[in-house]
Amino acid sequence: MEKRLSTQKITSNLWFNMQAEEAVNFYLTVFKDGKTARKTYYGAEGFEFHGIPEGTVMTIEFIIAGQEFVALNGGPHFQFTEAISFIVNCKDQKEVDYYWEKLSEGGDEKAQMCGWLKDKFGVSWQVVPEGLTEMLQNPDKAKVASMTKAMFQMKKLDIAALEKAFGK
């Protein structure tokens, strides 16, 4: 019997409309340190409830950037919303550009704002520079307001422009 990928206590479960394998394969191309593990398959039991043919992949466990996930082929019953998103903390503009380009490819352009995007599967991501929270926590309210105003004009975050607006 195959073991879990990690000993993580809490695992995010992502419900896809029968694109779990495609989504996992996509995320593994974006996050180079990723890997997959156990898969489960639908049996004949429960077909009257879920309508998914026996032998179809039900779940795939995978890890990206050290975070364990489960992808579920659950059908069209539920959709992703921006109420849940995954933050990608980036060390520099090159990394922001890389993750933005990869994750936004084929996604909803109308859902792009202030470093947020939706990928082609409808999953929401925040691609942010590591220094953003530090600037937001600064006690100088005028600096924070200036930087925040600049951020609200952006889709993909521009570190140099944020720092300039902040007064760095």
Side-chain angles (χ1 to χ4, degrees):
M1 189 171 220
E2 203 174 347
K3 293 185 179 183
R4 290 185 56 212
L5 284 170
S6 75
T7 57
Q8 188 172 295
K9 187 74 165 174
I10 297 173
T11 301
S12 298
N13 184 73
L14 303 175
W15 180 303
F16 294 93
N17 180 11
M18 306 310 294
Q19 311 131 308
E21 288 180 287
E22 181 185 351
V24 168
N25 290 333
F26 171 70
Y27 298 137
L28 293 178
T29 67
V30 174
F31 298 91
K32 304 299 183 198
D33 63 344
K35 59 184 173 181
T36 62
R38 302 183 298 184
K39 287 184 181 182
T40 63
Y41 299 86
Y42 282 97
E45 280 301 312
F47 182 81
E48 65 276 16
F49 300 110
H50 53 68
I52 299 172
E54 181 177 2
T56 301
V57 170
M58 182 167 56
T59 64
I60 306 168
E61 294 176 357
F62 67 107
I63 283 187
I64 53 174
Q67 176 71 40
E68 184 177 340
F69 294 86
V70 173
L72 167 72
N73 276 326
H77 313 294
F78 301 107
Q79 304 295 312
F80 295 112
T81 75
E82 292 85 352
I84 298 288
S85 63
F86 298 103
I87 299 171
V88 181
N89 293 299
C90 300
K91 65 181 184 250
D92 55 29
Q93 191 66 48
K94 183 177 178 183
E95 211 172 43
V96 168
D97 295 346
Y98 170 80
Y99 286 111
W100 186 270
E101 178 186 329
K102 296 293 184 185
L103 291 169
S104 67
E105 184 180 311
D108 181 357
E109 288 188 34
K110 290 182 243 156
Q112 297 176 355
M113 182 179 178
C114 304
W116 290 63
L117 65 88
K118 272 190 173 185
D119 69 23
K120 61 186 170 185
F121 302 102
V123 176
S124 291
W125 298 85
Q126 296 179 56
V127 180
V128 299
E130 291 173 351
L132 181 64
T133 300
E134 182 181 312
M135 285 189 281
L136 288 168
Q137 292 178 332
N138 191 288
D140 186 330
K141 291 181 181 183
K143 288 176 120 177
V144 174
S146 177
M147 189 274 304
T148 303
K149 183 178 180 180
M151 182 177 67
F152 277 111
Q153 305 307 308
M154 300 176 187
K155 289 185 176 192
K156 176 179 72 173
L157 298 182
D158 178 331
I159 297 171
L162 291 172
E163 288 177 344
K164 181 178 179 185
F166 186 77
K168 273 193 170 182

